[in-house]
Amino acid sequence: MTPREAGFAMPPEWAAHEGCWMIWPERPDNWRLGAKPAQAAFTAVAAAISRFEPVTMMVSARQFENARAVLPASVRVVEMSTNDSWARDVGCSFLVGPDGALGGADWPFNAWGGLEGGLYFPWDLDDLVARKMLELAGGRWFRAPLVIEGGAIHVDGEGSALVCEECGLNENRNPTVTRAAMEEMLRAYLGVSTVIWVERGVPGDETNGHIDNLACFVRPGVVLLSWCDDPADPHYEVSRAAEARLKAAFDAKGRALEVVRMPMPAPMFYTADEANGIDATAAGMNRAAGERMAASYVNFYIANGAIIAPAFGTETDAPARDVLARLFPDREVVQVMAREILLGGGNIHCITQQQPATRA
Ligand code: KQY
Protein backbone atom coordinates (compact mmCIF):
# COMPACT_ATOMS: atom_id res chain seq x y z
CA MET A 1 0.00 0.00 0.00
CA THR A 2 1.35 3.49 -0.79
CA PRO A 3 1.28 6.35 1.73
CA ARG A 4 -1.42 8.11 -0.28
CA GLU A 5 -3.60 4.98 -0.22
CA ALA A 6 -3.08 4.81 3.54
CA GLY A 7 -3.95 8.50 3.96
CA PHE A 8 -0.39 9.79 4.62
CA ALA A 9 1.22 12.98 3.26
CA MET A 10 4.43 14.95 3.90
CA PRO A 11 3.85 18.12 5.95
CA PRO A 12 5.74 21.26 4.93
CA GLU A 13 8.98 21.99 6.76
CA TRP A 14 7.40 25.02 8.50
CA ALA A 15 4.78 22.84 10.27
CA ALA A 16 5.53 22.09 13.94
CA HIS A 17 8.36 19.61 14.53
CA GLU A 18 8.84 16.87 17.07
CA GLY A 19 12.54 17.28 16.45
CA CYS A 20 15.42 17.05 14.01
CA TRP A 21 17.65 14.13 12.96
CA MET A 22 21.26 14.44 11.87
CA ILE A 23 24.19 12.07 11.14
CA TRP A 24 27.70 12.56 12.54
CA PRO A 25 30.34 13.02 9.79
CA GLU A 26 33.46 10.87 9.81
CA ARG A 27 34.49 9.55 6.40
CA PRO A 28 37.92 11.00 5.63
CA ASP A 29 37.57 10.81 1.84
CA ASN A 30 34.75 13.38 2.01
CA TRP A 31 35.59 15.41 5.13
CA ARG A 32 39.04 16.90 5.48
CA LEU A 33 41.43 16.30 8.36
CA GLY A 34 39.68 13.17 9.58
CA ALA A 35 36.37 15.06 9.64
CA LYS A 36 37.34 17.13 12.68
CA PRO A 37 36.39 20.54 11.16
CA ALA A 38 33.16 19.06 9.81
CA GLN A 39 32.34 17.61 13.22
CA ALA A 40 32.74 21.09 14.69
CA ALA A 41 30.41 22.54 12.03
CA PHE A 42 27.78 19.78 12.53
CA THR A 43 28.03 20.40 16.28
CA ALA A 44 27.37 24.12 15.72
CA VAL A 45 24.31 23.28 13.60
CA ALA A 46 23.02 20.77 16.17
CA ALA A 47 23.56 23.26 18.99
CA ALA A 48 21.74 26.00 17.06
CA ILE A 49 18.76 23.76 16.27
CA SER A 50 18.59 22.34 19.79
CA ARG A 51 17.75 25.82 21.10
CA PHE A 52 14.42 25.41 19.30
CA GLU A 53 13.63 21.67 19.10
CA PRO A 54 15.10 18.32 20.18
CA VAL A 55 17.97 16.99 18.04
CA THR A 56 18.94 13.35 17.58
CA MET A 57 22.46 12.71 16.25
CA MET A 58 23.00 9.32 14.60
CA VAL A 59 26.58 8.20 15.19
CA SER A 60 28.64 5.12 14.33
CA ALA A 61 29.86 2.86 17.14
CA ARG A 62 33.41 4.08 16.40
CA GLN A 63 32.54 7.72 16.96
CA PHE A 64 29.99 7.35 19.76
CA GLU A 65 32.27 8.43 22.65
CA ASN A 66 33.72 11.32 20.69
CA ALA A 67 30.35 12.65 19.50
CA ARG A 68 28.84 12.31 22.96
CA ALA A 69 31.73 14.25 24.45
CA VAL A 70 31.59 17.03 21.86
CA LEU A 71 27.84 17.56 21.41
CA PRO A 72 25.69 19.55 23.85
CA ALA A 73 24.08 17.34 26.50
CA SER A 74 20.65 18.25 25.13
CA VAL A 75 21.42 16.43 21.85
CA ARG A 76 20.37 12.77 21.94
CA VAL A 77 23.07 10.50 20.50
CA VAL A 78 22.02 7.13 19.06
CA GLU A 79 24.11 4.50 17.30
CA MET A 80 23.57 4.17 13.56
CA SER A 81 25.63 2.57 10.78
CA THR A 82 25.94 4.81 7.73
CA ASN A 83 28.21 5.38 4.74
CA ASP A 84 28.22 9.17 5.16
CA SER A 85 26.28 11.91 6.89
CA TRP A 86 23.40 13.29 4.78
CA ALA A 87 20.25 12.87 6.86
CA ARG A 88 18.13 14.73 4.30
CA ASP A 89 18.96 12.21 1.61
CA VAL A 90 19.33 8.88 3.37
CA GLY A 91 16.83 9.58 6.15
CA CYS A 92 13.13 9.01 5.72
CA SER A 93 10.92 11.87 4.57
CA PHE A 94 8.50 11.85 7.48
CA LEU A 95 4.77 11.71 6.73
CA VAL A 96 1.65 12.23 8.80
CA GLY A 97 -1.39 10.02 8.39
CA PRO A 98 -4.88 9.49 9.74
CA ASP A 99 -5.37 10.55 13.36
CA GLY A 100 -1.90 12.10 13.38
CA ALA A 101 -0.07 8.79 12.84
CA LEU A 102 3.64 9.04 11.98
CA GLY A 103 5.01 7.43 8.83
CA GLY A 104 7.91 7.90 6.49
CA ALA A 105 8.87 7.49 2.85
CA ASP A 106 12.06 5.43 2.49
CA TRP A 107 13.63 6.37 -0.84
CA PRO A 108 15.97 3.76 -2.35
CA PHE A 109 19.43 5.36 -2.24
CA ASN A 110 22.34 4.87 -4.68
CA ALA A 111 24.83 7.53 -3.53
CA TRP A 112 23.53 10.13 -6.00
CA GLY A 113 24.07 8.13 -9.17
CA GLY A 114 25.08 4.53 -8.46
CA LEU A 115 28.02 3.10 -10.34
CA GLU A 116 27.44 5.64 -13.15
CA GLY A 117 28.47 8.89 -11.52
CA GLY A 118 27.58 8.17 -7.91
CA LEU A 119 29.85 9.49 -5.19
CA TYR A 120 30.82 6.30 -3.37
CA PHE A 121 30.36 2.55 -3.16
CA PRO A 122 29.04 0.78 -1.15
CA TRP A 123 25.95 2.69 0.00
CA ASP A 124 24.14 -0.24 1.62
CA LEU A 125 24.32 1.19 5.16
CA ASP A 126 22.92 4.53 4.01
CA ASP A 127 20.10 2.72 2.27
CA LEU A 128 18.94 1.25 5.60
CA VAL A 129 18.94 4.51 7.57
CA ALA A 130 15.38 5.60 6.73
CA ARG A 131 13.93 2.28 7.82
CA LYS A 132 15.92 2.31 11.07
CA MET A 133 14.85 5.89 11.82
CA LEU A 134 11.23 4.82 11.47
CA GLU A 135 11.87 1.92 13.88
CA LEU A 136 13.33 4.36 16.42
CA ALA A 137 10.62 6.98 15.90
CA GLY A 138 7.78 4.45 15.88
CA GLY A 139 6.54 5.42 12.42
CA ARG A 140 5.03 3.36 9.63
CA TRP A 141 7.54 2.37 6.96
CA PHE A 142 6.79 2.95 3.26
CA ARG A 143 9.56 1.78 0.90
CA ALA A 144 9.32 3.70 -2.37
CA PRO A 145 9.85 1.99 -5.74
CA LEU A 146 12.15 4.55 -7.42
CA VAL A 147 15.52 6.02 -6.44
CA ILE A 148 15.46 9.65 -5.32
CA GLU A 149 16.71 11.58 -2.28
CA GLY A 150 14.97 13.77 0.28
CA GLY A 151 17.07 16.76 -0.86
CA ALA A 152 15.60 16.37 -4.35
CA ILE A 153 12.10 17.34 -3.21
CA HIS A 154 10.33 20.15 -1.44
CA VAL A 155 6.61 20.23 -0.60
CA ASP A 156 4.26 23.08 0.32
CA GLY A 157 1.88 21.01 2.49
CA GLU A 158 -1.02 21.96 0.23
CA GLY A 159 -0.53 19.36 -2.47
CA SER A 160 2.49 20.66 -4.43
CA ALA A 161 6.03 19.31 -4.79
CA LEU A 162 9.07 20.97 -6.35
CA VAL A 163 11.70 18.85 -8.17
CA CYS A 164 14.58 19.32 -10.67
CA GLU A 165 14.49 17.32 -13.89
CA GLU A 166 18.28 17.02 -13.90
CA CYS A 167 17.99 14.90 -10.76
CA GLY A 168 14.49 13.42 -10.71
CA LEU A 169 14.67 12.19 -14.31
CA ASN A 170 18.36 11.24 -14.31
CA GLU A 171 19.14 7.78 -15.70
CA ASN A 172 21.79 7.37 -13.02
CA ARG A 173 18.94 7.12 -10.47
CA ASN A 174 16.36 5.15 -12.48
CA PRO A 175 17.61 4.05 -15.94
CA THR A 176 14.21 3.77 -17.61
CA VAL A 177 12.18 6.28 -15.64
CA THR A 178 9.64 8.47 -17.37
CA ARG A 179 8.38 11.83 -16.15
CA ALA A 180 4.93 10.31 -15.71
CA ALA A 181 6.27 7.43 -13.58
CA MET A 182 8.31 9.75 -11.35
CA GLU A 183 5.37 12.10 -10.91
CA GLU A 184 3.10 9.21 -10.02
CA MET A 185 5.62 7.93 -7.47
CA LEU A 186 5.93 11.38 -5.88
CA ARG A 187 2.15 11.76 -5.72
CA ALA A 188 1.81 8.34 -4.09
CA TYR A 189 4.67 8.70 -1.58
CA LEU A 190 4.41 12.41 -0.68
CA GLY A 191 0.64 12.66 -0.86
CA VAL A 192 0.78 15.55 -3.34
CA SER A 193 -1.29 16.13 -6.46
CA THR A 194 0.93 18.55 -8.43
CA VAL A 195 4.62 18.21 -9.30
CA ILE A 196 6.35 21.41 -10.42
CA TRP A 197 9.56 20.81 -12.37
CA VAL A 198 12.50 23.12 -12.89
CA GLU A 199 15.11 22.08 -15.41
CA ARG A 200 18.53 22.25 -13.73
CA GLY A 201 20.04 22.70 -10.29
CA VAL A 202 22.96 24.84 -9.13
CA PRO A 203 25.91 24.24 -11.50
CA GLY A 204 28.57 22.02 -9.97
CA ASP A 205 26.15 20.45 -7.47
CA GLU A 206 27.40 16.87 -7.25
CA THR A 207 23.88 15.58 -6.53
CA ASN A 208 22.82 16.37 -10.13
CA GLY A 209 20.71 19.31 -9.13
CA HIS A 210 19.06 18.88 -5.78
CA ILE A 211 16.18 21.29 -5.41
CA ASP A 212 17.17 22.03 -1.80
CA ASN A 213 20.26 23.86 -3.01
CA LEU A 214 18.37 25.83 -5.66
CA ALA A 215 14.91 26.73 -4.40
CA CYS A 216 12.36 26.08 -1.67
CA PHE A 217 8.83 26.93 -0.71
CA VAL A 218 8.77 29.50 2.08
CA ARG A 219 4.99 29.28 2.35
CA PRO A 220 2.26 28.04 0.01
CA GLY A 221 2.46 29.98 -3.24
CA VAL A 222 5.91 31.51 -2.57
CA VAL A 223 9.25 30.07 -3.71
CA LEU A 224 12.69 31.36 -2.78
CA LEU A 225 15.20 30.90 -5.62
CA SER A 226 19.00 31.12 -5.52
CA TRP A 227 19.73 33.95 -7.94
CA CYS A 228 22.78 35.08 -9.93
CA ASP A 229 23.21 38.43 -11.68
CA ASP A 230 26.59 37.78 -13.33
CA PRO A 231 26.11 36.83 -17.02
CA ALA A 232 29.53 35.14 -16.99
CA ASP A 233 28.44 32.74 -14.26
CA PRO A 234 26.72 29.48 -15.33
CA HIS A 235 24.15 30.02 -12.58
CA TYR A 236 22.95 33.18 -14.41
CA GLU A 237 21.16 31.09 -17.06
CA VAL A 238 20.09 28.41 -14.60
CA SER A 239 18.42 30.86 -12.25
CA ARG A 240 16.62 32.64 -15.10
CA ALA A 241 15.37 29.37 -16.57
CA ALA A 242 14.14 28.23 -13.15
CA GLU A 243 12.37 31.52 -12.52
CA ALA A 244 10.64 31.33 -15.88
CA ARG A 245 9.43 27.78 -15.16
CA LEU A 246 8.27 28.67 -11.68
CA LYS A 247 6.42 31.77 -12.83
CA ALA A 248 4.66 29.78 -15.54
CA ALA A 249 3.55 27.09 -13.07
CA PHE A 250 0.39 26.76 -11.06
CA ASP A 251 0.43 24.95 -7.76
CA ALA A 252 -2.05 22.35 -6.50
CA LYS A 253 -4.42 25.08 -5.38
CA GLY A 254 -4.31 26.73 -8.79
CA ARG A 255 -2.16 29.67 -7.60
CA ALA A 256 0.50 31.26 -9.79
CA LEU A 257 3.77 31.11 -7.84
CA GLU A 258 5.46 34.22 -6.50
CA VAL A 259 9.25 33.90 -6.85
CA VAL A 260 11.59 35.69 -4.44
CA ARG A 261 15.23 36.01 -5.51
CA MET A 262 17.95 35.08 -3.01
CA PRO A 263 21.31 36.42 -4.26
CA MET A 264 23.90 33.66 -4.33
CA PRO A 265 27.27 34.11 -2.63
CA ALA A 266 30.26 35.12 -4.74
CA PRO A 267 31.94 32.04 -6.25
CA MET A 268 33.72 29.91 -3.65
CA PHE A 269 36.54 27.44 -4.44
CA TYR A 270 38.43 24.66 -2.64
CA THR A 271 41.77 25.94 -1.43
CA ALA A 272 44.83 23.73 -1.83
CA ASP A 273 44.86 23.13 1.92
CA GLU A 274 41.24 22.07 1.91
CA ALA A 275 41.65 19.74 -1.06
CA ASN A 276 44.85 18.22 0.37
CA GLY A 277 43.18 17.54 3.70
CA ILE A 278 40.83 14.99 2.17
CA ASP A 279 41.97 11.37 1.90
CA ALA A 280 42.56 10.24 -1.69
CA THR A 281 39.91 7.81 -2.84
CA ALA A 282 38.95 5.76 -5.84
CA ALA A 283 35.36 6.85 -5.27
CA GLY A 284 33.57 9.61 -7.18
CA MET A 285 34.27 12.50 -4.82
CA ASN A 286 36.97 14.41 -6.60
CA ARG A 287 38.08 17.46 -4.71
CA ALA A 288 40.75 19.59 -6.32
CA ALA A 289 42.19 22.96 -5.42
CA GLY A 290 40.38 25.62 -7.44
CA GLU A 291 37.26 23.52 -7.96
CA ARG A 292 34.12 25.59 -7.45
CA MET A 293 31.64 24.65 -4.75
CA ALA A 294 27.88 24.82 -5.19
CA ALA A 295 27.29 27.47 -2.53
CA SER A 296 23.73 28.66 -1.89
CA TYR A 297 21.85 30.51 0.86
CA VAL A 298 18.67 28.58 0.06
CA ASN A 299 20.03 25.44 1.72
CA PHE A 300 18.68 26.29 5.21
CA TYR A 301 16.63 24.41 7.82
CA ILE A 302 13.27 25.61 9.15
CA ALA A 303 13.11 24.78 12.88
CA ASN A 304 10.34 25.50 15.36
CA GLY A 305 10.54 29.28 15.71
CA ALA A 306 13.82 29.63 13.80
CA ILE A 307 15.65 29.48 10.50
CA ILE A 308 19.07 27.83 10.77
CA ALA A 309 20.89 29.22 7.76
CA PRO A 310 24.36 28.93 6.24
CA ALA A 311 26.88 31.73 6.44
CA PHE A 312 30.21 31.68 4.61
CA GLY A 313 32.06 34.56 6.21
CA THR A 314 31.50 36.72 3.13
CA GLU A 315 29.88 40.11 2.58
CA THR A 316 26.76 38.46 1.14
CA ASP A 317 25.92 36.82 4.50
CA ALA A 318 24.18 39.91 5.90
CA PRO A 319 21.92 40.54 2.88
CA ALA A 320 21.01 36.83 2.86
CA ARG A 321 20.07 37.05 6.49
CA ASP A 322 17.90 40.10 5.73
CA VAL A 323 16.02 38.22 2.99
CA LEU A 324 15.28 35.35 5.39
CA ALA A 325 14.25 37.71 8.20
CA ARG A 326 11.81 39.43 5.83
CA LEU A 327 10.33 36.14 4.62
CA PHE A 328 10.07 34.58 8.09
CA PRO A 329 9.14 37.49 10.40
CA ASP A 330 7.98 35.13 13.17
CA ARG A 331 11.20 33.13 13.33
CA GLU A 332 14.66 33.96 14.62
CA VAL A 333 17.27 33.73 11.85
CA VAL A 334 20.40 32.00 13.15
CA GLN A 335 23.33 31.85 10.75
CA VAL A 336 25.95 29.14 11.26
CA MET A 337 29.35 29.12 9.55
CA ALA A 338 28.91 26.40 6.96
CA ARG A 339 31.99 26.33 4.72
CA GLU A 340 33.09 23.01 6.22
CA ILE A 341 29.70 21.48 5.32
CA LEU A 342 29.90 22.94 1.83
CA LEU A 343 33.34 21.32 1.39
CA GLY A 344 31.57 17.95 1.73
CA GLY A 345 29.16 18.80 -1.07
CA GLY A 346 26.03 20.06 0.66
CA ASN A 347 24.76 22.37 3.34
CA ILE A 348 22.52 22.72 6.40
CA HIS A 349 19.32 21.47 4.78
CA CYS A 350 21.16 18.44 3.43
CA ILE A 351 22.41 17.35 6.86
CA THR A 352 19.09 17.72 8.71
CA GLN A 353 15.74 15.94 8.60
CA GLN A 354 12.66 17.20 10.43
CA GLN A 355 10.28 14.88 12.21
CA PRO A 356 6.84 16.50 12.30
CA ALA A 357 4.85 16.83 15.50
CA THR A 358 2.01 14.31 15.51
CA ARG A 359 -1.03 13.79 17.68
CA ALA A 360 -0.58 10.01 17.90
O1 KQY B 1 22.19 18.25 -1.37
C1 KQY B 1 22.07 17.38 -0.55
N1 KQY B 1 20.87 17.12 -0.09
C2 KQY B 1 23.18 16.44 -0.16
C3 KQY B 1 24.49 16.69 -0.70
C4 KQY B 1 25.31 15.44 -0.65
C5 KQY B 1 26.68 15.61 -1.13
C6 KQY B 1 27.50 14.39 -0.97
N2 KQY B 1 28.90 14.62 -1.00
Side-chain angles (χ1 to χ4, degrees):
M1 184 180 281
T2 68
R4 183 181 52 194
E5 287 162 348
F8 283 77
M10 184 176 178
E13 198 166 318
W14 53 80
H17 297 176
E18 183 73 27
C20 175
W21 296 72
M22 298 177 63
I23 303 172
W24 190 244
E26 66 172 284
R27 67 179 290 159
D29 60 351
N30 192 41
W31 304 106
R32 72 192 185 108
L33 306 177
K36 288 298 153 209
Q39 290 173 2
F42 277 53
T43 298
V45 171
I49 296 173
S50 67
R51 285 180 50 216
F52 302 93
E53 62 191 46
V55 176
T56 298
M57 186 68 76
M58 297 177 274
V59 180
S60 73
R62 282 181 307 280
Q63 279 287 315
F64 185 87
E65 290 290 1
N66 177 44
R68 184 58 289 169
V70 170
L71 287 162
S74 60
V75 173
R76 175 172 76 144
V77 179
V78 300
E79 189 180 320
M80 180 67 73
S81 306
T82 65
N83 301 105
D84 201 3
S85 45
W86 305 96
R88 180 63 52 186
D89 291 346
V90 304
C92 58
S93 297
F94 281 105
L95 309 169
V96 177
D99 300 321
L102 184 68
D106 172 1
W107 314 110
F109 180 75
N110 75 352
W112 309 276
L115 300 177
E116 305 298 326
L119 298 181
Y120 48 72
F121 176 86
W123 53 77
D124 55 326
L125 300 175
D126 278 348
D127 195 30
L128 282 170
V129 172
R131 187 174 182 184
K132 293 178 180 176
M133 283 169 66
L134 284 161
E135 285 283 341
L136 291 169
R140 181 162 166 187
W141 172 56
F142 295 97
R143 177 73 168 178
L146 295 174
V147 174
I148 197 162
E149 303 87 37
I153 49 171
H154 268 305
V155 297
D156 70 353
E158 295 194 354
S160 314
L162 209 52
V163 195
C164 274
E165 292 167 353
E166 183 191 347
C167 176
L169 303 181
N170 201 310
E171 290 177 3
N172 69 8
R173 305 305 207 277
N174 303 288
T176 58
V177 75
T178 61
R179 181 186 301 264
M182 180 53 78
E183 284 195 7
E184 185 43 33
M185 201 256 315
L186 295 174
R187 286 192 203 103
Y189 283 77
L190 296 171
V192 298
S193 55
T194 300
V195 178
I196 300 168
W197 295 93
V198 293
E199 194 183 344
R200 284 164 293 159
V202 174
D205 183 335
E206 61 189 12
T207 64
N208 309 113
H210 267 191
I211 195 74
D212 70 349
N213 211 32
L214 177 79
C216 64
F217 289 111
V218 295
R219 56 181 174 271
V222 183
V223 174
L224 181 63
L225 172 66
S226 177
W227 187 257
C228 174
D229 267 325
D230 176 3
D233 190 310
H235 193 53
Y236 179 89
E237 285 303 335
V238 169
S239 55
R240 272 155 189 76
E243 187 182 62
R245 280 281 191 99
L246 291 166
K247 284 190 163 168
F250 293 94
D251 69 12
K253 297 280 186 206
R255 285 176 293 238
L257 294 173
E258 175 188 341
V259 180
V260 179
R261 298 173 177 178
M262 167 64 96
M264 73 188 304
M268 295 170 62
F269 305 91
Y270 287 91
T271 66
D273 259 7
E274 288 167 345
N276 293 336
I278 298 164
D279 282 8
T281 176
M285 294 178 290
N286 301 308
R287 316 275 189 231
E291 186 188 321
R292 182 159 174 196
M293 296 182 282
S296 161
Y297 288 113
V298 165
N299 205 315
F300 57 83
Y301 178 72
I302 305 179
N304 290 339
I307 302 296
I308 313 300
F312 303 108
T314 60
E315 59 188 15
T316 45
D317 289 349
R321 184 194 174 95
D322 292 345
V323 171
L324 294 173
R326 243 191 349 267
L327 289 171
F328 296 97
D330 300 331
R331 293 176 198 258
E332 184 180 337
V333 179
V334 180
Q335 286 184 315
V336 177
M337 291 303 292
R339 183 176 175 98
E340 292 294 340
I341 308 171
L342 181 60
L343 291 172
N347 222 306
I348 291 174
H349 193 259
C350 311
I351 64 168
T352 50
Q353 183 68 254
Q354 71 280 359
Q355 178 180 333
T358 54
R359 288 191 307 278

